[in-house]
């Protein structure tokens, strides 16, 4: 037993002797106090064992016993005077400690050491000394710097909310940016002060920033700050410092003698010349560069100041680092959208490579960067995919890039490029056929600049607004960031949401303003759902329609020949030259209109026919039904530009379209049959097809808004009742209160010997409100209106809706000679879908909508239509869908689900999923907005249909009849919830 106890005690003694021996050896060779402490620590642990589990409680207990003054002078000084390199590694991990007392004390010490005593600056100095004194390898230094920088940057995330304002990243989550700036701003200021001070000391010496500990720490901290989303806070401290120094240097010297050497020889610029070079993170470089440009705009830097700031910061990296060149030449010119002034700064620094010349872009002698940039930019700008998919703001920006580059090229430089000419022509062509006016203006501006390069004496003006000497590359829009997105396109559908019973009201504006379309109809007629009274009993003399178009005064043939009764002015001579008005043949028949329009060699006759065509058609003569088809075809095919003067083209085009609208309204079936055949005829061009769709749209709205009288026949008993108190031959005693009794009127004709009818009269009370200036006449009611009452009907279009829509929907996907709606003729496809949407809207909540809306949704579901590359088509699809959602009655949807009609269910489910996809991923901002409106309409429609379905279900249950088994097959999801309808 004694032997065992001796062996047990010998083990600790052996370990203790070994530790002491090792400590003595370490102390002998130690150079610093830290080495002695590390050597004595293992011995102390063996001699004085401590329970580590209770260590925190002991520390918190004894620390609270010290008075505040003693704590600052004894306890806090231990950390403040120590090596911040060790303090940081010891304190920051304890910010996550579970003990509240320990954590709060640690937060106080971190704030004291890092912020109040400029610990970040001291840390950079210690890391530099750590690298020089210990002869550590470069890899070890980089690893240590990275670990320490990560600890410092994580301090705001590890502190508790609201404990210390300078450390907390959020104070109730409302002051996140402000709280972060309090910490990172202090760290940034310390590091910038230290880096500038060191760079001034190293002026004239060779600096190896890759292995310098302090510069590496500055670069690593900047990268950590940017990666944590505070690049703007960092740049807000960096940019004003260098801007202030550049402005002072420029103001103290003549601008003509300022060169690159002026900045290189100034000690105050040494750090700024090295700052970007020490940052190796590509993401951080891009974010910092982007924020620097925006900060310069915020500080209102002029062109010269901005150029020199970019040169100081980036010229070395731009020459030696591919990453920086890609950022400036590729990303900033093609992928980003900067204010226009920033774009000029980028081009001047990265492409032209020399300072501005009195605020104007100036290229250097070395033009290879310019030629490479032009090739790269034009290749992107000219593609049809870029026009179709890129947001409008980015198209503005890239167009401005291409235009500014072309403005600074010569004809020789243009000829030296390989495909620039061809690409520019392709880009201009694909934009001129776009329905958006701003997109066409881009093509006009680029074409003008390109023509000036090719032949300066003969500029090509495709737009009247491009007559100025300097091209407006801002396109009349604000140049600040994000301002372009606030510009509304006037050529697209707009979906406005309002709170009403139906939820969302859809309003369409001028849809598709194309360069080939000459539609400039009366704005009053364009107002949706404006009432127009049509009197079926109106009698119009066709011959009188020409009177208002004759010039001068006409002579009355029945006038008196007495010279004394005539005025003296009638005897005055007048000019008879060119007075051939009476010699012109008056057009008073529709047949004459057709004949005159077909004579293309008689422009005066064509003009006179267009003048009277609409009024003759609206007079509804008997011949209209027989000549309607020929007249429609002739009006579509006539060329107004060949018959009238250039300044009168719009007026003639307006008259033609009004005549076509009148034909479709007064003679719908015959006229619409012809227009549908002409729509897909290979003999028409795009402008004629668009005109057909425009007049069909206007006619549908006019038919829907027309107000006509409808007679309601009341059933009348053919056999009188024997119980009537008065004789059968007397009129009914019904009438207004106060009416007198009927009295027989004797026949007043003296030659009438036989009275075959009885005539009666009675007195009626006068109305309390008299109508001034009008005479009230009483007469016998026409025989064809006896026993009937009149009523007003406000929509005549449902009767003709199928004739308008179904033929037009059948041939949209057929490609033939001259017709390619899914490809080249996407403008016609967009206008067609828009017209169909208007037609559906005009029959909203009518029975016809329940038949035509599902057919239209089936057409829109076609992948070639709903996923079309052109945003113009997708906007038309969204507009048509919104019209379908408002046109379908909720009771129809409910009844369709109960009857097992899966077609409507599939169509509405597709609307929901497709609209969600467009709202989330479409590149066109207006498509996203319209998709969100469609989702709102879909949700409201689903809710109303659900209520109708529940009502029908409860009524069926009262009749002890279960729901049909087919009801479960139809499902409509409500967006934004987990609810299902059906």
């Amino acid at each position: 037993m004694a032997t065992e106890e001796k062996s047990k005690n010998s083990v600790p003694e052996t370990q203790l002797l070994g530790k002491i021996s090792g400590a003595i050896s370490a102390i002998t060779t130690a150079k610093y106090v830290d080495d002695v402490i590390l050597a004595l620590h293992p011995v102390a642990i063996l001699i004085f064992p401590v329970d580590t589990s209770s260590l925190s409680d002991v520390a918190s207990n004894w620390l609270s016993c010290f008075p505040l003054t003693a704590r600052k002078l004894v306890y806090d000084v231990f950390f403040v005077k120590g090596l911040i390199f060790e303090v940081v590694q010891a304190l920051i991990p304890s910010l996550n400690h579970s003990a509240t007392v320990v954590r709060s004390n640690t937060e106080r010490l971190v704030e004291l050491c890092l912020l109040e005593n400029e610990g970040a600056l001291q840390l950079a100095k210690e890391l530099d000394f750590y690298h020089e004194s210990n002869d550590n390898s470069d890899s070890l230094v980089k690893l240590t710097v990275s670990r320490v920088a990560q600890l410092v940057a994580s301090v705001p995330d590890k502190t508790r909310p609201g404990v210390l304002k300078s450390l907390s990243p959020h104070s109730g989550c409302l002051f996140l940016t402000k709280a972060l700036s309090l910490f990172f701003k202090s760290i940034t200021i310390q590091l910038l002060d230290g880096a500038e001070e060191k760079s001034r000391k190293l002026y004239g010496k060779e600096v190896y920033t890759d292995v310098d500990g302090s510069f590496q720490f500055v670069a690593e901290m900047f990268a950590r700050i940017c990666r944590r989303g505070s690049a703007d806070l960092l740049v807000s401290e960096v940019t004003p410092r260098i801007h202030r120094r550049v402005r002072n240097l420029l103001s103290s010297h003549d601008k003509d003698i300022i060169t690159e050497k002026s900045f290189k020889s100034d000690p105050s610029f040494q750090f700024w010349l090295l700052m970007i070079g020490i940052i190796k993170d590509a993401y951080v470089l891009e974010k910092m560069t982007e924020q620097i440009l925006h900060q310069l705009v915020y500080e209102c830097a002029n062109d010269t100041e901005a150029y020199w700031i970019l040169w100081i910061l980036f010229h070395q990296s731009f020459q030696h680092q591919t990453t920086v060149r890609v950022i400036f030449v590729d990303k900033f010119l093609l992928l980003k959208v900067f204010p226009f002034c920033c774009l000029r700064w980028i081009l001047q620094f990265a492409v032209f490579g020399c300072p501005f010349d009195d605020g104007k872009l100036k290229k250097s002698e070395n033009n290879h960067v310019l030629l490479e940039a032009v090739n790269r930019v034009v290749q992107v700008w000219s593609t049809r995919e870029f026009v179709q998919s890129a947001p409008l703001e980015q198209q503005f920006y890239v167009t401005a890039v291409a235009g500014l580059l072309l403005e600074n090229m010569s004809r020789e430089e243009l000829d030296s490029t390989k495909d620039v000419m061809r690409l520019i022509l392709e880009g201009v062509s694909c934009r001129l056929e776009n329905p958006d006016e701003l997109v066409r203006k881009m093509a006009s501006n680029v074409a003008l600049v390109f023509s000036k390069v090719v032949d300066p004496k003969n500029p090509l003006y495709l737009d009247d607004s491009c007559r100025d000497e300097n091209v407006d590359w801002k396109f009349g829009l604000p140049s600040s960031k994000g301002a372009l997105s606030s510009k509304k396109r006037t050529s697209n559908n707009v979906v406005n949401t309002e709170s009403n019973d139906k939820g969302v009201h859809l309003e369409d504006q001028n849809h598709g303003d194309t360069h080939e379309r000459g539609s400039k109809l009366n704005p009053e007629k364009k107002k949706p759902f404006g009432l127009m009274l049509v009197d079926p009993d109106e009698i119009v003399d066709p011959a009188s329609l020409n009177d208002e178009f004759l010039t001068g005064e006409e002579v009355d043939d029945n006038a008196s020949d007495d010279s004394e009764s005539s005025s003296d002015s009638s005897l005055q001579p007048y000019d008879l030259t060119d007075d051939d008005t009476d010699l012109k043949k008056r057009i008073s028949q529709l047949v004459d209109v057709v004949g005159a329009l077909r004579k293309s060699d008689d422009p005066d006759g064509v003009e006179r026919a267009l003048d009277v065509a609409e009024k003759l058609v609206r007079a509804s003569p008997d011949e209209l039904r027989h000549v309607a088809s020929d007249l429609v075809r002739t009006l579509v095919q006539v060329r107004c530009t060949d018959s009238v003067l250039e300044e009168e083209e719009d007026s003639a085009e307006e008259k033609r379209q009004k005549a076509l609208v009148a034909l479709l309204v007064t003679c719908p079936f015959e006229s619409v049959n012809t227009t549908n055949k002409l729509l897909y005829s290979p003999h028409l061009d795009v402008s004629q097809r668009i005109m057909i769709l425009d007049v069909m749209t206007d006619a549908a709205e006019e038919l829907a808004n027309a107000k006509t009288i409808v007679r309601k026949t009341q059933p009348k008993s053919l056999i009188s009742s024997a119980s009537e108190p008065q004789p059968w031959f007397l009129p009914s005693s019904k009438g207004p209160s106060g009416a007198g009794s009927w009295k027989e009127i004797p026949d007043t004709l003296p030659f009438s010997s036989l009275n075959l009818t009885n005539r009666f009269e009675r007195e009626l009370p006068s109305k309390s409100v008299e109508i001034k200036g009008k005479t009230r006449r009483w007469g016998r009611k026409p025989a064809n209106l006896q026993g009937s009452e009149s009523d007003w009907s406000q929509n005549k279009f449902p009767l003709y809706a199928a004739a308008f829509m179904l033929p037009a929907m059948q041939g949209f996907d057929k490609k033939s000679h001259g017709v390619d709606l899914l490809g080249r003729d996407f403008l016609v496809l967009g206008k067609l879908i828009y017209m169909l949407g208007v037609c559906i809207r005009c029959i909203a909540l009518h029975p016809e909508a329940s038949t035509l809306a599902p057919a239209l949704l089936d057409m829109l579901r076609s992948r070639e239509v709903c996923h079309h590359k052109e945003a113009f088509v997708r906007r038309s699809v969204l507009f048509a869908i919104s019209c379908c959602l408002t046109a379908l009655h909720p009771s129809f949807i409910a009844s369709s689900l109960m009857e097992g009609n899966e077609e409507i269910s599939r169509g509405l489910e597709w609307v929901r999923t497709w609209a969600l996809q467009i709202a989330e991923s479409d590149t066109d901002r207006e498509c996203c907005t319209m998709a969100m409106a469609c989702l709102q309409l879909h949700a409201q429609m689903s809710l109303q249909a659900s209520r109708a379905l529940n009502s029908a279900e409860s009524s069926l249950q009262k009749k002890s009849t279960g729901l049909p088994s087919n009801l479960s097959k139809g499902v409509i999801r409500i967006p934004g919830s987990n609810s299902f309808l059906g």
Side-chain angles (χ1 to χ4, degrees):
M1 295 293 293
T3 305
E4 293 179 358
E5 291 180 0
K6 185 177 181 180
S7 62
K8 291 181 179 179
N9 295 331
S10 62
V11 175
E13 293 177 359
T14 305
Q15 292 180 354
L16 180 60
L17 292 175
K19 293 293 183 181
I20 293 175
S21 176
I24 294 173
S25 301
I27 292 173
T28 304
T29 60
K31 294 182 180 180
Y32 301 99
V33 178
D34 295 341
D35 298 335
V36 177
I37 296 175
L38 293 176
L40 292 175
H41 185 267
V43 179
I45 292 297
L46 288 176
I47 297 176
F48 307 103
V50 179
D51 185 6
T52 57
S53 62
S54 61
L55 180 58
S56 301
D57 297 334
V58 173
S60 61
N61 291 334
W62 69 261
L63 184 61
S64 60
C65 298
F66 281 85
L68 181 61
T69 304
R71 186 187 307 176
K72 290 183 178 181
L73 297 178
V74 179
Y75 181 75
D76 293 352
V77 170
F78 176 79
F79 295 95
V80 173
K81 297 299 183 180
L83 293 176
I84 193 67
F85 176 74
E86 296 179 353
V87 172
V88 165
Q89 298 183 72
L91 289 180
I92 294 179
S94 299
L95 290 173
N96 292 330
H97 202 282
S98 59
T100 305
V101 179
V102 175
R103 190 171 185 179
S104 61
N105 182 53
T106 305
E107 292 170 344
R108 185 182 63 83
L109 290 174
V110 169
E111 182 180 21
L112 177 65
C113 296
L114 281 179
L115 303 183
E116 296 181 10
N117 289 276
E118 296 186 341
L121 176 59
Q122 185 64 28
L123 189 57
K125 296 178 180 179
E126 290 182 4
L127 287 172
D128 192 13
F129 179 76
Y130 169 78
H131 170 254
E132 295 176 355
S133 61
N134 290 275
D135 296 329
N136 294 312
S137 62
D138 296 341
S139 60
L140 181 59
V141 173
K142 291 181 179 179
L143 181 62
T144 304
V145 168
S146 177
R147 183 174 70 250
V148 174
Q150 182 180 6
L151 285 172
V152 176
S154 66
V155 169
D157 298 332
K158 293 181 178 180
T159 54
R160 292 171 296 169
V163 176
L164 296 174
K165 293 183 179 180
S166 59
L167 296 179
S168 175
H170 46 275
S171 235
C173 297
L174 295 177
F175 306 100
L176 173 60
T177 304
K178 182 178 180 181
L180 279 173
S181 64
L182 292 175
F183 178 76
F184 287 134
K185 180 179 181 179
S186 177
I187 298 297
T188 302
I189 292 174
Q190 296 178 45
L191 296 178
L192 290 175
D193 291 341
E196 284 191 283
E197 180 183 358
K198 182 174 182 177
S199 62
R200 282 193 294 267
K201 293 179 180 179
L202 296 176
Y203 175 67
K205 300 180 182 179
E206 190 173 4
V207 181
Y208 299 95
T209 57
D210 293 340
V211 296
D212 186 276
S214 60
F215 282 135
Q216 286 190 42
F217 180 68
V218 172
E220 192 68 28
M221 278 305 304
F222 284 179
R224 298 284 178 179
I225 293 174
C226 290
R227 288 241 174 221
R228 289 179 177 269
S230 299
D232 54 340
L233 301 177
L234 172 64
V235 171
S236 65
E237 292 296 328
V238 170
T239 308
R241 292 193 178 207
I242 185 173
H243 188 196
R244 187 164 52 251
R245 287 170 173 76
V246 170
R247 182 176 294 173
N248 292 336
L249 181 63
L250 293 176
S251 61
S252 60
H253 295 78
D254 188 358
K255 64 178 182 178
D256 296 332
I257 64 174
I258 296 293
T259 62
E260 298 174 358
K261 293 182 180 180
S262 303
F263 297 96
K264 290 182 179 180
S265 60
D266 192 331
S268 62
F269 288 99
Q270 297 311 303
F271 169 69
W272 305 111
L273 293 169
L274 300 173
M275 189 189 75
I276 297 299
I278 66 178
I279 301 175
K280 305 301 180 183
D281 193 326
Y283 172 80
V284 174
L285 283 174
E286 180 179 345
K287 295 301 293 184
M288 284 189 63
T289 308
E290 184 176 353
Q291 290 297 329
I292 287 172
L293 288 169
H294 289 298
Q295 186 69 24
L296 290 175
V297 176
Y298 176 76
E299 296 182 6
C300 302
N302 58 41
D303 292 339
T304 304
E305 294 170 351
Y307 170 80
W308 284 118
I309 291 174
L310 292 179
W311 183 88
I312 293 169
L313 293 175
F314 299 101
H315 80 279
Q316 292 186 2
S317 301
F318 187 83
Q319 293 176 359
H320 301 99
Q321 296 185 25
T322 306
T323 305
V324 178
R325 288 197 297 272
V326 170
I327 290 175
F328 275 96
V329 181
D330 285 345
K331 292 186 177 181
F332 283 3
L333 295 184
L334 298 176
L335 302 180
K336 299 287 185 177
V337 177
F338 288 97
F340 185 72
C341 58
C342 292
L343 172 59
R344 298 178 73 252
W345 300 340
I346 294 169
L347 291 176
Q348 190 62 56
F349 166 71
V351 178
F352 300 132
C354 61
F356 283 91
D357 183 14
D358 291 334
K360 297 181 181 179
L361 293 175
K362 175 186 177 182
K363 63 179 179 179
S364 61
E365 296 179 358
N366 188 4
N367 64 350
H368 73 278
V369 180
L370 171 61
L371 299 181
E372 291 177 359
V374 169
N375 274 299
R376 190 179 297 106
V377 171
V378 172
Q379 284 179 0
V380 174
W381 181 82
S382 63
T383 59
R384 186 177 294 273
E385 291 76 12
F386 179 76
V387 182
Q388 294 171 342
S389 60
L392 192 62
E393 298 90 339
Q394 189 177 1
Q395 294 192 44
F396 286 144
Y397 186 77
V398 177
T399 302
V401 174
L404 292 174
L405 292 176
L406 287 173
E407 282 183 340
N408 290 273
M409 291 184 66
S410 63
R411 176 60 187 271
E412 292 75 16
E413 292 173 337
L414 184 62
D415 293 337
S416 64
T417 58
K418 185 178 180 181
D419 298 323
V420 170
M421 287 189 178
R422 176 182 60 83
L423 293 174
I424 289 177
L425 294 177
E426 291 178 359
V428 171
S429 299
C430 70
R431 282 171 173 78
L432 287 178
E433 63 186 22
N434 195 282
D436 199 314
E437 181 182 358
L438 292 176
V439 176
R440 298 197 301 273
K441 186 174 179 60
M442 299 180 205
S444 302
N445 288 359
V446 173
L448 175 59
V449 174
F450 176 72
S451 65
K452 290 182 178 179
V453 176
V454 176
D455 188 0
K457 296 182 179 180
N458 296 308
L460 176 62
Y461 296 101
L462 298 179
D463 190 350
D464 293 337
S465 62
C466 298
R467 298 285 178 176
D468 297 336
E469 181 178 356
N470 297 324
V471 179
D472 179 20
W473 296 113
K474 299 178 184 179
F475 298 97
L477 303 175
S479 60
S480 60
K481 182 182 179 182
L484 293 176
S485 60
S486 64
K487 179 70 176 179
K488 295 184 179 178
R489 276 171 273 181
T490 59
S491 60
N492 304 315
N493 301 325
V494 178
V495 180
N496 295 327
T497 58
E498 298 178 358
S499 299
N500 50 24
D501 295 337
K502 293 188 177 291
V504 177
H505 173 67
L506 294 162
E507 178 184 355
D508 60 290
Q509 296 181 349
N510 299 332
H511 184 83
D513 183 15
T514 65
H515 66 287
E516 295 172 322
R517 174 185 173 189
S519 177
K520 294 185 179 179
L521 300 182
N522 191 345
E524 296 181 358
K525 192 176 76 63
K526 283 287 187 179
K527 294 181 180 179
F529 301 102
L531 295 180
M532 180 179 295
L533 183 61
V534 178
D535 187 359
D537 298 329
E538 182 183 4
I539 299 176
V540 180
D541 182 11
S544 65
L545 297 175
N546 292 275
D547 294 344
E548 58 181 306
F549 300 106
L550 296 179
T551 59
E553 297 182 355
E554 296 188 7
V555 181
D556 187 1
D557 294 336
N558 299 323
S560 174
D561 294 334
D562 191 357
S563 60
E564 295 180 358
S565 63
S566 302
S567 63
D568 296 337
S569 60
S570 62
L571 301 178
Q572 298 297 327
Y574 58 92
D575 188 9
L576 295 177
T577 59
D578 296 333
D579 189 8
D580 58 348
T581 301
D582 294 335
L583 301 179
K584 296 180 180 178
K585 180 182 179 181
R586 293 189 179 184
I587 300 178
S588 59
Q589 302 293 330
L590 291 176
V591 177
D592 298 335
V593 173
V594 176
L597 292 175
R598 288 177 176 174
K599 295 180 179 179
S600 58
D601 56 344
D602 183 11
D604 293 336
V606 173
E607 185 177 0
R608 286 186 287 111
L610 291 175
D611 289 340
V612 301
E614 181 189 5
K615 289 196 173 183
L616 284 177
V617 170
R618 293 194 181 275
S620 299
D622 296 336
E623 61 176 333
L624 177 61
R625 189 163 58 90
H626 304 285
V627 301
S629 179
D630 289 340
L631 184 55
V632 168
R633 185 176 290 104
T634 305
L635 284 170
V636 171
Q637 295 176 347
V638 69
R639 294 288 182 180
C640 298
T641 57
D642 300 337
S643 306
V644 297
L645 299 177
E646 182 178 357
E647 60 271 12
E648 298 178 357
E649 289 181 7
D650 294 340
S651 176
E653 185 67 30
E654 180 181 353
K655 294 174 183 177
R656 172 170 70 161
Q657 294 195 29
K658 286 184 176 181
L660 286 169
V661 172
L663 281 168
L664 288 167
V665 171
T666 55
C667 195
F669 286 119
E670 293 80 1
S671 301
V672 80
N673 182 40
T674 305
T675 56
N676 281 322
K677 291 180 179 178
L678 290 172
L679 181 62
Y680 296 106
S681 172
H683 306 293
L684 268 63
D685 57 21
V686 174
S687 63
Q688 291 172 314
R689 301 185 208 279
I690 291 177
M691 182 196 64
I692 290 175
L693 294 170
D694 286 339
V695 298
M696 291 178 69
T697 303
D698 296 337
E701 291 182 336
E702 184 174 339
L703 286 170
N705 303 332
K707 193 173 183 180
T708 57
I709 298 177
V710 177
R711 309 296 181 184
K712 288 187 176 180
T713 303
Q714 301 292 337
K716 187 176 182 180
S717 177
L718 299 178
I719 302 177
S720 61
S721 174
S723 62
E724 291 182 355
Q726 62 182 11
W728 61 271
F729 53 85
L730 290 179
S732 175
S733 60
K734 295 180 180 180
S737 59
S741 58
W742 292 102
K743 298 179 181 180
E744 185 174 0
I745 301 175
D747 195 354
T748 57
L749 296 178
F751 54 84
S752 176
S753 59
L754 185 62
N755 188 8
L756 301 179
T757 61
N758 297 320
R759 304 176 63 191
F760 301 87
E761 69 177 3
R762 66 171 175 176
E763 295 182 358
L764 295 177
S766 60
K767 296 186 68 174
S768 58
V769 180
E770 296 182 357
I771 302 177
K772 185 177 181 180
K774 293 188 177 181
T775 303
R776 182 178 299 165
R777 295 182 179 179
W778 302 91
R780 184 177 300 176
K781 199 172 186 179
N784 60 342
L785 296 183
Q786 290 185 5
S788 64
E789 296 181 359
S790 63
D791 194 8
W792 294 101
S793 174
Q794 213 169 344
N795 193 345
K796 295 170 59 178
F797 184 69
L799 178 63
Y800 313 108
F804 271 68
M805 297 178 62
L806 293 179
M809 294 166 60
Q810 291 178 354
F812 78 95
D813 56 348
K814 296 179 181 179
K815 184 177 181 180
S816 60
H817 179 68
V819 182
D820 184 14
L821 266 61
L822 296 178
R824 180 195 61 214
D825 303 331
F826 69 92
L827 291 177
V828 181
L829 177 62
K831 298 292 291 186
L832 171 63
I833 297 173
Y834 175 75
M835 184 272 293
L836 295 173
V838 172
C839 291
I840 285 291
R841 186 181 64 181
C842 291
I843 58 174
L845 306 182
H846 281 75
E848 290 79 4
S850 60
T851 303
L852 295 174
L856 178 57
L857 287 177
D858 186 64
M859 169 190 170
L860 301 178
R861 287 173 61 186
S862 173
R863 182 172 182 83
E864 295 82 2
V865 175
C866 66
H867 294 286
H868 201 280
K869 295 180 180 179
E870 292 289 343
F872 177 72
V873 177
R874 297 196 300 275
R875 290 195 292 266
S876 299
V877 173
L878 288 165
F879 171 76
I881 288 176
S882 63
C883 293
C884 291
L885 293 175
T886 55
L888 290 173
H889 201 284
S891 60
F892 163 73
I893 300 174
S895 62
S896 299
L897 294 176
M898 296 181 65
E899 295 171 0
N901 186 353
E902 298 183 12
E903 180 183 6
I904 188 65
S905 176
R906 287 195 300 267
L908 294 176
E909 174 61 15
W910 168 80
V911 168
R912 186 188 69 86
T913 55
W914 182 73
L916 278 174
Q917 179 183 356
I918 293 296
E920 294 174 355
S921 60
D922 200 286
T923 57
D924 185 76
R925 183 177 290 105
E926 191 165 352
C927 285
C928 297
T929 304
M930 297 179 70
M932 292 299 297
C934 286
L935 289 173
Q936 184 179 355
L937 281 174
H938 188 278
Q940 294 175 356
M941 177 273 302
S942 301
L943 181 62
Q944 294 177 4
S946 177
R947 292 172 179 172
L949 188 63
N950 293 336
S951 177
E953 181 180 0
S954 60
S955 62
L956 289 176
Q957 289 177 352
K958 290 180 181 180
K959 297 179 181 180
S960 301
T961 305
L963 286 174
S965 59
N966 291 330
L967 181 58
S968 61
K969 297 181 181 179
V971 175
I972 301 177
R973 294 181 177 85
I974 299 179
S977 67
N978 296 324
S979 304
F980 294 87
L981 170 59

